[in-house]
Amino acid sequence: MPLHRKHLLDLDDFSRDEITQVLDTAESMSEILDRPISRVPTLRGKTIVNIFFEASTRTRVSFELAGKYLSADVINVQASGSSVQKGESLVDTLRTIQALGADMVVMRHSKSGAPYLAVEELECSVINAGDGWHAHPSQALLDLFTVRRKLGDLEGKKLVIVGDIIHSRVARSNIWGFTRMGARVVLCGPATLLPQGFEKMSDANGLVSIELDADKAIDGADMVMALRIQKERMEGGLLPDLREYSALYGVNRKRLANAKPAVIVMHPGPMNQGVEISPEVAYGPNSIIEEQVASGLAIRMSIFYLLAGGR
Ligand code: CP
């Protein structure tokens, strides 16, 4: 069944049924990935252009592999090495890609809203692979996929996101996704990294709360997600000392003891080990961080397949 959407920009307007459809389709894609030969002809003859104006490992590689496993022609464009370095504007870059016949554009950009500009300029599908602080919908979908596999139905589950919330597009998209599936989301971090008003982000009132004390936030949690301290987006004074941050908010074994015994630990990556998460937790028995990365492939195959019409 198609998704009845041309673009994937964020999860703010996704219904529970649409999210479920993406996750269920990703389960089917996982079955394809388990076969000895994973390639299927679904997108044969289609061209996908991955335009990454900001650094990425997980997202770029998994979008590229997802396109290849579906038999699309995949082209990668990075800011360095492209005509952006010669001063070409974003709009002109997009028009060039349109003229060369892209069927889908996957775009990462440091400026919030850049993929929305791309939708105005392009006739093809646009997939937001992360725009500034704003949104990272494919990451949120792969997080939902991984959590659902571990916890089942998310209704009423306590999901805690700890860290640099203010700069996090992952947190923003996950708040929409987790609450749309009925989970309670607790946002935790120092007040300078917690935007005011985030508790009102969900349209399901009362599902998002803010807790400044990490031990209280993690108490009884079903899932704890540590977020990277985004030093590159940090403006002066927001966080005076990383050691103090780690002591108060780092996800470590002692702090995790407050959560449910079967708590799962997530991190969207890349990690600053020893800052927002300790190595013994990142690689410990409760961690599903590597499964998150692996889920990215099935989810991105699902996104391509559904946006292409689900046939
Ligand atoms: N989670 C994530 O977006 O990772 P990359 O920056 O490596 O793509």
Side-chain angles (χ1 to χ4, degrees):
M1 211 169 51
L3 197 54
H4 300 298
R5 280 177 187 271
K6 188 170 175 184
H7 311 292
L8 174 63
L9 298 172
D10 197 2
L11 296 191
D12 51 350
D13 61 351
F14 263 64
S15 67
R16 188 182 286 215
D17 283 349
E18 285 179 299
I19 291 173
T20 302
Q21 190 186 356
V22 177
L23 307 192
D24 290 348
T25 305
E27 290 292 356
S28 304
M29 295 299 166
S30 287
E31 287 167 24
I32 293 173
L33 290 169
D34 286 340
R35 294 179 193 163
I37 297 173
S38 307
R39 206 169 281 253
V40 290
T42 312
L43 296 186
R44 185 173 290 156
K46 302 281 183 202
T47 301
I48 296 171
V49 181
N50 290 329
I51 318 177
F52 278 68
F53 292 107
E54 204 186 52
S56 168
T57 301
R58 281 147 280 265
T59 312
R60 194 189 60 72
V61 172
S62 59
F63 268 120
E64 180 175 350
L65 284 174
K68 287 180 172 168
Y69 284 137
L70 295 173
S71 299
D73 294 316
V74 183
I75 314 294
N76 293 310
V77 179
Q78 284 173 279
S80 64
S82 77
S83 292
V84 170
Q85 274 193 320
K86 299 177 191 163
E88 187 168 62
S89 70
L90 175 59
V91 168
D92 282 345
T93 301
L94 292 169
R95 285 181 183 156
T96 302
I97 283 158
Q98 167 97 353
L100 291 171
D103 296 293
M104 290 191 191
V105 164
V106 178
M107 185 178 177
R108 171 168 289 192
H109 204 285
S110 59
K111 299 277 185 271
S112 298
Y116 293 76
L117 176 68
V119 165
E120 300 297 316
E121 292 298 326
L122 300 175
E123 283 161 26
C124 67
S125 289
V126 175
I127 298 168
N128 182 2
D131 63 323
W133 301 9
H134 171 245
H136 195 348
S138 66
Q139 177 71 43
L141 287 164
L142 77 85
D143 290 339
L144 279 159
F145 180 77
T146 324
V147 176
R148 188 180 78 163
R149 278 185 155 188
K150 292 289 173 190
L151 301 181
D153 186 359
L154 293 190
E155 191 74 46
K157 295 285 192 302
K158 182 177 180 182
L159 310 183
V160 182
I161 305 178
V162 190
D164 184 357
I165 311 275
I166 197 164
H167 298 114
S168 178
R169 55 195 175 208
V170 175
R172 284 171 176 81
S173 289
N174 265 329
I175 291 168
W176 293 122
F178 288 152
T179 57
R180 201 59 47 80
M181 302 311 278
R184 293 178 292 134
V185 175
V186 180
L187 304 174
C188 177
T192 48
L193 299 182
L194 267 172
Q196 287 191 354
F198 258 40
E199 65 274 26
K200 299 191 189 80
M201 238 181 104
S202 162
D203 55 9
N205 275 338
L207 285 183
V208 183
S209 59
I210 288 191
E211 174 56 64
L212 299 179
D213 182 316
D215 293 314
K216 284 187 191 159
I218 290 174
D219 187 31
D222 294 284
M223 184 283 284
V224 177
M225 178 184 288
L227 293 180
R228 184 170 70 89
I229 293 295
Q230 299 194 38
K231 293 175 205 152
E232 75 278 17
R233 300 194 211 272
M234 202 73 68
E235 281 153 25
L238 285 181
L239 195 60
D241 183 66
L242 284 182
R243 256 187 313 188
E244 188 187 339
Y245 174 85
S246 187
L248 292 174
Y249 293 100
V251 178
N252 54 34
R253 211 155 36 191
K254 182 166 176 277
R255 188 153 280 139
L256 208 58
N258 295 332
K260 286 193 176 153
V263 65
I264 52 174
V265 176
M266 305 178 78
H267 192 304
M271 290 187 273
N272 296 309
Q273 283 182 43
V275 179
E276 70 265 2
I277 190 165
S278 67
E280 80 265 17
V281 168
Y283 298 106
N286 298 84
S287 171
I288 58 164
I289 294 169
E290 284 182 13
E291 285 161 76
Q292 276 178 276
V293 176
S295 298
L297 195 46
I299 277 291
R300 286 163 178 137
M301 287 170 76
S302 167
I303 292 166
F304 282 146
Y305 171 78
L306 291 169
L307 292 183
R311 284 184 294 275

